[in-house]
Amino acid sequence: MKFGGTSVADAERLARAARRIVAKREEGHDVVAVLSARGRTTDALIREAQEISPEPDPREMDMLLSTGERQSCALCAMVINDLGHRAISLTGSQAGIVTDTSHTKARIVDVRADRIEDALRQGHIVLVAGFQGVSTARDVTTLGRGGSDTTAVALAAAVGADVCEIYTDVDGVFSADPRIVPDARLLPVVSFEEVLEMAASGAGVLQLRSVEYARNHGVRIHCRSSFHDEPGTVVVAEQETVVENPLITAVTHSTEEARVTLKGVPDTPGVAGRITTALAQANVNVDMIIQNEPVSEGQRADMSFTVPRTDLADARRALEPLATEHGVEIATDEAMGKVSIVGAGMRTHPGVAAQVFATLGREDINIEMISTSPIKISCVIRGDKVPTAVRALHAAFALSGEGTIRQERPFGEFH
Ligand code: ADP
Ligand code: ASP
Ligand code: MG
């Protein structure tokens, strides 16, 4: 069971999460619960660091950020003990979560769950601080924003859990962010493939790595509300979702994009490789790339790509030596956004891209970059146009509660 920040934000909510954990234990299950930092604690810690230091040391940043989830676990253990059960809280390190050394966005490389298993055997409810681990160099690391989801999935895999339940502040995975599209539809069942594309294109409800990890290790994810008992969303293999896939499943968005443009890149073989290698070495995740070929031979090209806004400073630092060497100018734009449509049915339907572009055109929204996969179309647009774009696409593909035709499968063992 994983509880997100909003679900443990104040004393009452923390107590509600604790009661839910205890209820599960009383049904006869062994329970490992992963908690996030309370409310906006992580944001507050980041702000504190930035007030102190313009570019905080990443190792120390992780020491700082990891404290948020520890607080939640210790407090929750107190409540559970008061409810007459035995709980033990563990840091990521104590729980055996081993990561690589890339501070603030570390990857889990191993989970040594023997301490958790011992505690379960002794009848404890085990509470694990999400979003953190210990690196192979024995430093505390964090797993990137939203990383508690990945902690939960990795632990579920390590202990062979029946299911990984992600309790959050919405009822499950929707056809769009319900905060932007109030009549978005709850998806009772969604495939790993679709949820991977959704997470990759900005649907923050599940961290991308948690979905990758779940698919790779065969973990069942059940995403549901921490506020009531409705069944929420189950993530399953594509064959299990529906007899006939709907054309489009969801519209997703991100307002966290930045664009980097390299002006005057020499038009010679190998340059693009050097640029992207420099970015990869700096651990910067490049999303869309566009290169404008020069009109005549011997001229220089322009190359643009998008990166998460939080990676912009790293990207600039990584590119500066190359830019100086080749006389390239680096221009950046921090106000970019991205809107995407995702759907397994797209594979076999031509004309979806045309409908996307026409819809955005009708809203007078300029598309700056485009990328596609077999089940996704993404457009980079101005950040301030994102809500309008999401609502227009959601309406154009009739995704709201009433309009969609989708055969639903029963939840089976999930309720
Ligand atoms: P938690 O703190 O529980 O991890 P998050 O804020 O990380 O919660 O994720 C839940 C939020 O994700 C919701 O409040 C919602 O605004 C947002 N969200 C974005 N896209 C979607 C979507 N397609 N379905 C559900 N929620 C979404
Ligand atoms: N507290 C961390 C964050 O805000 C991790 C999480 O909530 O999953 O990103
Ligand atoms: Mg989250």
Side-chain angles (χ1 to χ4, degrees):
M1 303 173 82
K2 177 260 172 176
F3 291 85
T6 318
S7 308
V8 294
D10 54 32
E12 191 197 318
R13 288 181 182 188
L14 189 75
R16 191 186 305 154
R19 283 196 300 272
R20 250 183 129 137
I21 293 167
V22 163
K24 204 55 101 179
R25 178 81 187 104
E26 288 176 349
E27 282 171 25
H29 301 283
D30 285 338
V31 184
V32 179
V34 172
L35 304 187
S36 286
R38 306 178 82 191
R40 305 214 162 273
T41 301
T42 308
D43 293 329
L45 291 172
I46 292 172
R47 258 197 319 277
E48 277 180 42
Q50 285 168 344
E51 277 166 21
I52 295 285
S53 163
E55 276 188 39
D57 180 82
R59 180 191 183 278
E60 302 310 329
M61 199 66 188
D62 278 349
M63 284 297 277
L64 180 70
L65 295 186
S66 65
T67 60
E69 343 296 284
R70 297 181 185 201
Q71 294 177 8
S72 302
C73 286
L75 291 168
C76 191
M78 292 173 195
V79 182
I80 292 176
N81 286 327
D82 290 347
L83 289 171
H85 283 257
R86 284 181 300 153
I88 176 174
S89 67
L90 300 174
T91 65
S93 167
Q94 288 173 314
I97 295 180
V98 183
T99 73
D100 65 14
T101 56
S102 97
H103 283 291
T104 74
K105 43 183 169 179
R107 276 182 175 274
I108 296 175
V109 295
D110 194 13
V111 180
R112 301 175 189 156
D114 38 293
R115 183 152 184 198
I116 294 179
E117 279 157 357
D118 285 347
L120 289 175
R121 263 193 298 276
Q122 290 159 15
H124 284 97
I125 290 170
V126 182
L127 300 170
V128 178
F131 171 61
Q132 59 188 271
V134 60
S135 77
T136 45
R138 291 182 295 176
D139 285 318
V140 171
T141 49
T142 62
L143 308 179
R145 299 308 304 265
S148 297
D149 297 335
T150 305
T151 305
V153 169
L155 290 179
V159 301
D162 300 324
V163 58
C164 179
E165 295 187 319
I166 307 275
Y167 289 88
T168 184
D169 58 0
V170 287
D171 292 356
V173 179
F174 282 82
S175 57
D177 187 342
R179 288 175 210 283
I180 293 197
V181 184
D183 66 345
R185 178 172 171 277
L186 178 70
L187 307 171
V189 180
V190 67
S191 69
F192 275 115
E193 290 74 8
E194 288 174 315
V195 133
L196 270 173
E197 292 282 20
M198 288 176 70
S201 58
V205 60
L206 291 169
Q207 197 200 32
L208 174 59
R209 281 185 192 165
S210 74
V211 188
E212 288 171 347
Y213 205 104
R215 189 191 50 180
N216 295 345
H217 292 81
V219 174
R220 305 210 68 157
I221 294 184
H222 184 178
C223 180
R224 56 195 307 188
S225 170
S226 66
F227 303 129
H228 55 68
D229 252 342
E230 296 301 313
T233 302
V234 184
V235 183
V236 298
E238 195 169 310
Q239 325 61 287
E240 291 178 65
T241 47
V242 278
V243 180
E244 203 173 328
N245 278 313
L247 185 57
I248 304 303
T249 302
V251 179
T252 59
H253 73 278
S254 156
T255 48
E256 309 292 311
E257 313 282 319
R259 180 174 54 191
V260 179
T261 303
L262 301 177
K263 294 184 178 165
V265 178
D267 190 28
T268 47
V271 175
R274 289 186 62 195
I275 291 168
T276 44
T277 303
L279 292 166
Q281 279 165 352
N283 217 345
V284 172
N285 221 337
V286 177
D287 186 17
M288 291 190 208
I289 306 178
I290 286 188
Q291 183 166 320
N292 299 326
E293 285 299 312
V295 196
S296 60
E297 218 173 304
Q299 280 188 324
R300 290 176 165 241
D302 286 350
M303 187 174 177
S304 296
F305 50 84
T306 54
V307 297
R309 190 172 305 125
T310 46
D311 282 356
L312 188 57
D314 286 345
R316 197 178 252 291
R317 209 170 308 119
L319 292 170
E320 251 148 23
L322 271 174
T324 315
E325 180 186 334
H326 293 291
V328 169
E329 184 195 334
I330 305 177
T332 56
D333 190 331
E334 299 195 20
M336 304 310 292
K338 184 169 73 174
V339 60
S340 311
I341 57 163
V342 175
M346 215 188 288
R347 279 204 187 98
T348 47
H349 280 80
V352 176
Q355 200 175 340
V356 170
F357 304 155
T359 303
L360 296 180
R362 268 196 303 278
E363 298 293 329
D364 207 21
I365 295 171
N366 193 37
I367 303 171
E368 315 228 1
M369 295 164 116
I370 299 161
S371 79
T372 64
S373 86
I375 64 166
K376 181 183 75 177
I377 297 171
S378 295
C379 300
V380 170
I381 58 177
R382 308 282 331 154
D384 57 358
K385 298 283 188 191
V386 163
T388 312
V390 172
R391 284 190 278 264
L393 290 170
H394 199 267
F397 288 98
L399 297 184
S400 64
E402 303 307 302
T404 39
I405 312 150
R406 185 178 174 121
Q407 282 171 274
E408 284 164 18
R409 223 178 74 99
F411 281 105
E413 66 264 40
F414 282 100
H415 68 161

